[in-house]
Amino acid sequence: LGEGFTLFLTFLFYTSYHLSRKPISIVKSELHKNCSTLIRPPNLNGTDNETWCDWAPFDQDNYQTLFGAVDNSFLVAYAVGMFFSGIFGERVPLRYYLTTGMLLSGLFTCLFGLGFYWNIHSIWYYAFVQAMNGLVQTTGWPAVVACVGNWFGKGKRGFIMGVWNSHTSVGNILGSLIAGIFVSSAWGMSFIVPGIIIASTGILCFFFLVEKPEDVGCSPPQHHGVMEFSLCLLFAKLVSYTFLYWLPLYISNVAHFDPKEAGDMSTLFDVGGIVGGVVAGLVSDQTGGRASTCCVMLIVAAPMLFLYNHIGQYSLATTIGMLLVCGALVNGPYALITTAVSADLGTHESLSGNSRALSTVTAIIDGTGSIGAALGPLLAGVISPTGWNNVFFMLITADILACLLVQCIWKVFRPCYSLILKLIQ
């Protein structure tokens, strides 16, 4: 009962984290759109007929670069903060740590949306709010993985965490749908509502989260940790987060959907991600090979990304099918690496049962991956003006590099991780 309750709560908590990250990708196509297709109100001031419907400062020709800057304000802060987050997570009760993080994340998410009502048009405001949100959101991942790692042993960890990690996709789906409700009428509410939701789950965390089984008189799980890899997460996360931040805009531009329709369609990528995460975890449990499971999925993902870019918009059925397949193949390895592999490392026998170190190990792994998460949307913002084909070539290259890293470079960096584990003891 305690295990199931902990799974449910941590699932709910990290769903809210991702739910609050998603609105920016939905709102982009509302902040800058094709004004020539709309009827201009007769009483509107200004003379620019091409950008009258856009939200400054994103009404300029370099709007894609500005979007990339806003994305990276969050992602760079997230990547940097993640390396320190695990250290704090070890020393502060996880219940307080998560509660504080979710309340602050709700605040900064709402502040972004309030820019609509306060009529703010400064890129520095939006970049600063996103940077602060990126920092406080680093409280989430190390803490929830540490909680789950405290309650579960290694036996079925791949499958359990594959199912549990669907919170990422569920959060993205809910965030897209909620943001889509308001995007065309009052895009500020696309941020404010998710901000209120994550703050509310923070209050729930404070009253109900049980950090470890010993706190309620239950026996701790038996850990048999296995030293595995995960540096390919950098490139896997690069691909995943580029889709997270740019897929709705791509669908809107290429398939000519309106912002709400593009946002709704993009959720299919996350639906595929749920299936991919579960399948990856189940297969890795049965075969005992985390690396081989990731590698096979990454190999198949490369041609699927190529096909999606070239034939994915031919028909509605093709779009749906390709989004589901690409979502499963891209997010499957990402889910496996950030959950089961992280937990395997954090409960490794060399830590002598110090399961709290799982927070630090998770932060190191996800911090490394977050560098890729920052690079992907940044590169997409720089490359997309030259054509979407080039963006997909970048994604395919990153996917191939992730596959090569998982098989080769881990052998080089294994001693580095061994040293890190010894230092944590």
Side-chain angles (χ1 to χ4, degrees):
L1 182 61
E3 293 176 347
F5 188 61
T6 300
L7 271 184
F8 170 75
L9 281 181
T10 52
F11 181 95
L12 185 65
F13 298 157
Y14 211 68
T15 294
S16 69
Y17 272 94
H18 260 264
L19 181 151
S20 65
R21 295 179 195 176
K22 186 63 178 179
I24 184 63
S25 67
I26 305 300
V27 172
K28 281 177 181 175
S29 52
E30 178 68 20
L31 297 177
H32 186 99
K33 51 189 177 181
N34 186 359
C35 300
S36 63
T37 62
L38 303 175
I39 299 176
R40 179 172 178 167
N43 60 343
L44 186 69
N45 294 327
T47 58
D48 194 333
N49 294 322
E50 294 184 359
T51 62
W52 65 266
C53 65
D54 297 335
W55 186 269
F58 306 104
D59 57 346
Q60 306 298 316
D61 292 337
N62 66 338
Y63 72 95
Q64 290 174 315
T65 302
L66 295 179
F67 284 148
V70 171
D71 291 342
N72 273 272
S73 297
F74 178 97
L75 293 169
V76 171
Y78 185 87
V80 173
M82 186 60 73
F83 286 102
F84 300 97
S85 178
I87 298 173
F88 288 109
E90 282 188 35
R91 291 159 175 79
V92 179
L94 295 178
R95 182 164 63 94
Y96 299 153
Y97 194 52
L98 274 170
T99 297
T100 302
M102 285 189 276
L103 289 174
L104 288 175
S105 184
L107 170 65
F108 289 114
T109 302
C110 288
L111 283 175
F112 196 104
L114 287 171
F116 172 79
Y117 295 98
W118 294 342
N119 203 29
I120 296 175
H121 298 280
S122 169
I123 185 64
W124 297 108
Y125 172 82
Y126 297 107
F128 173 76
V129 169
Q130 282 291 80
M132 295 304 297
N133 202 5
L135 282 176
V136 298
Q137 286 239 341
T138 61
T139 57
W141 190 239
V144 295
V145 172
C147 285
V148 174
N150 286 339
W151 280 87
F152 289 90
K154 185 177 181 293
K156 296 295 181 182
R157 181 176 285 159
F159 174 68
I160 290 171
M161 289 198 161
V163 174
W164 175 75
N165 193 66
S166 64
H167 52 48
T168 299
S169 296
V170 172
N172 290 341
I173 292 169
L174 291 176
S176 297
L177 295 177
I178 292 171
I181 294 173
F182 306 102
V183 63
S184 297
S185 56
W187 63 259
M189 294 300 295
S190 297
F191 291 89
I192 293 173
V193 172
I196 293 172
I197 291 173
I198 189 172
S200 300
T201 57
I203 296 172
L204 192 68
C205 173
F206 180 81
F207 287 106
F208 294 104
L209 180 65
V210 179
E211 180 181 334
K212 47 190 176 181
E214 297 92 321
D215 293 341
V216 288
C218 297
S219 300
Q222 296 298 313
H223 294 293
H224 312 285
V226 176
M227 173 65 81
E228 294 190 58
F229 67 99
S230 69
L231 284 178
C232 79
L233 181 61
L234 187 150
F235 289 101
K237 207 165 181 179
L238 184 155
V239 178
S240 180
Y241 267 66
T242 302
F243 273 97
L244 172 67
Y245 281 93
W246 287 88
L247 181 58
L249 185 62
Y250 169 78
I251 293 174
S252 178
N253 286 354
V254 176
H256 307 295
F257 287 9
D258 66 36
K260 184 181 186 304
E261 291 173 339
D264 292 345
M265 186 65 68
S266 70
T267 62
L268 293 173
F269 182 84
D270 294 296
V271 173
I274 295 174
V275 177
V278 173
V279 170
L282 185 61
V283 171
S284 71
D285 276 342
Q286 296 297 319
T287 63
R290 310 275 197 232
S292 57
T293 303
C294 289
C295 192
V296 170
M297 297 185 80
L298 290 168
I299 289 173
V300 179
M304 288 298 105
L305 291 173
F306 178 83
L307 288 175
Y308 172 64
N309 184 41
H310 284 82
I311 68 171
Q313 311 302 330
Y314 280 4
S315 68
L316 183 61
T318 304
T319 300
I320 293 173
M322 292 301 297
L323 281 173
L324 290 171
V325 171
C326 289
L329 294 172
V330 168
N331 283 341
Y334 165 42
L336 184 62
I337 293 167
T338 56
T339 53
V341 171
S342 296
D344 288 347
L345 286 169
T347 54
H348 189 259
E349 58 191 7
S350 66
L351 294 177
S352 304
N354 180 17
S355 61
R356 290 189 67 83
L358 175 54
S359 178
T360 295
V361 173
T362 301
I364 292 171
I365 293 172
D366 202 47
T368 304
S370 296
I371 296 173
L375 284 174
L378 174 64
L379 291 174
V382 173
I383 297 172
S384 57
T386 68
W388 287 105
N389 286 341
N390 295 329
V391 174
F392 274 86
F393 285 138
M394 179 267 288
L395 295 176
I396 292 169
T397 301
D399 181 82
I400 294 171
L401 287 173
C403 184
L404 294 175
L405 281 166
V406 80
Q407 288 298 328
C408 302
I409 296 187
W410 172 247
K411 297 177 182 178
V412 177
F413 282 90
R414 181 186 292 267
C416 297
Y417 272 98
S418 298
L419 176 61
I420 290 170
L421 292 174
K422 291 178 181 178
L423 292 174
I424 292 173
Q425 293 186 66

